Amino acid sequence: LAGEPVIFTPLEYRLLKVLVRNPQIVLTRRTLLEKLWDADENFVDEHALTVAISRIRRKIEVNGLQYIKTVYGMGYMWIGGLKG
């Protein structure tokens, strides 16, 4: 970000990858949880998802840019850096 490395946890990275690969598509919390359930069957719960979204936002959403939109009652959508 601005020439500096951004460090993500494995969960944050996987979540960010899912969002970026599905731009402008609302991904329900259920869909995200299913995609984040790893090969070793380590379950990701709703609270962990909420926390991961929050942490990603803190790391990348600077200077008034918004990358992840919350679609209330549905889930989240990658909007790729719109001015908020």
Side-chain angles (χ1 to χ4, degrees):
L1 185 65
E4 295 296 321
V6 179
I7 299 170
F8 296 104
T9 66
L11 174 59
E12 292 167 354
Y13 181 78
R14 290 193 333 261
L15 175 55
L16 188 57
K17 192 165 71 171
V18 170
L19 289 167
V20 170
R21 288 183 176 172
N22 295 282
Q24 305 300 321
I25 297 171
V26 177
L27 297 172
T28 66
R29 294 178 68 78
R30 181 177 188 88
T31 297
L32 289 169
L33 290 169
E34 288 172 1
K35 291 183 179 287
L36 296 173
W37 199 313
D38 70 20
D40 297 325
E41 297 187 10
N42 292 318
F43 180 69
V44 177
D45 67 15
E46 287 203 32
H47 179 70
L49 175 62
T50 302
V51 170
I53 290 284
S54 177
R55 288 182 179 163
I56 292 169
R57 284 180 167 151
R58 272 185 274 155
K59 291 176 181 182
I60 66 172
E61 293 187 349
V62 296
N63 300 324
L65 297 178
Q66 182 182 14
Y67 290 87
I68 301 169
K69 179 178 181 176
T70 300
V71 181
Y72 292 99
M74 296 199 59
Y76 301 97
M77 178 171 56
W78 181 259
I79 57 173
L82 297 177
K83 200 74 166 163

